[in-house]
Every structure is written in C-alpha cells, then in structure tokens.
Amino acid sequence: QVQLVESGGGLVQAGGSLRLSCAASGNIFSFNAMGWYRQVPGSQRELVAHITSGGSTKYADSVKGRFTISRDNAKITVYLQMNSLKPEDTAVYYCNFQRLTGMEYWGKGTLVIVSS
C-alpha cells in the first residue's frame, strides 16, 4: 500500500506561479515512476508530467516550457513547478505512483485555480 499526499494548490492570477508537492509513504519499494495528472469536471484525467526512478521526464505538449517536474530521492517526493499559468490550467491535480510491476496509486488531489 502506498499513500500519496499532495499540497501546494491554490488561487493565482494568469501569468503567476505555483509549486505542487507530493509525498509518498507506506510500501514505497519497487518505485518506477511518479507523476502528475489533472482533471477538469466533465473531462477525462490527463497526464501533465511524470519522472522515472532513473530521472527521465515526460510532459504534456500543453505544459512544455512552462512546467517542470523534479524529484527528491531521499523523501520519495515529487514536485511540479508551474510557471506562466493560464486559466486553461485550472483543474484538480492528482499525484500518481507507479511500481515496476505497473501497479498504480493515486492521491486525493489538490485544486489549482488560475484567474484571468
């Protein structure tokens, strides 16, 4: 079992920045990757960014150049630095933990609202 706790969401103006954090606890062995997804009411959850145990990263086209995912190996924590935020970025952001086996775990989400 893995527990994921997100933090850092809030309300910002367009063009501003936020930094999200996700701390993993419990049985965190067999770590393969962690990432961030987001979901708007009425739409499917979509990948924002993820980072593997080896440090490789992947980003959605819509956030490339604006968002950066990073990892704290000692704490098994991932961060999402979000710059140049747009109203279209408004969503609930969810942390994801993936084992080498492919088993996945999810956090409860943190709300990000970008005002125009």
Side-chain angles (χ1 to χ4, degrees):
Q1 303 295 317
V2 175
Q3 294 79 47
L4 304 172
V5 179
E6 304 104 328
S7 62
L11 173 65
V12 297
Q13 294 183 5
S17 299
L18 281 176
R19 189 193 193 201
L20 305 183
S21 299
C22 174
S25 62
N27 186 2
I28 57 176
F29 297 100
S30 300
F31 167 74
N32 184 49
M34 293 182 69
W36 290 94
Y37 289 69
R38 66 187 181 188
Q39 187 169 25
V40 177
S43 300
Q44 297 185 59
R45 190 172 299 183
E46 65 176 3
L47 172 69
V48 177
H50 89 325
I51 185 167
T52 70
S53 59
S56 62
T57 59
K58 181 172 69 176
Y59 296 91
D61 289 340
S62 60
V63 306
K64 287 181 179 178
R66 299 189 298 119
F67 292 9
T68 302
I69 188 168
S70 61
R71 176 189 62 185
D72 184 326
N73 292 329
K75 299 179 179 179
I76 312 298
T77 302
V78 292
Y79 305 92
L80 186 67
Q81 179 65 48
M82 305 185 293
N83 298 325
S84 301
L85 283 162
K86 305 175 180 179
E88 306 94 274
D89 296 317
T90 296
V92 176
Y93 285 70
Y94 296 90
C95 183
N96 171 269
F97 178 100
Q98 183 183 72
R99 294 192 184 280
L100 293 171
T101 61
M103 181 75 72
E104 293 184 325
Y105 303 86
W106 296 91
K108 64 182 181 181
T110 185
L111 178 62
V112 172
I113 299 176
V114 184
S115 64
S116 59

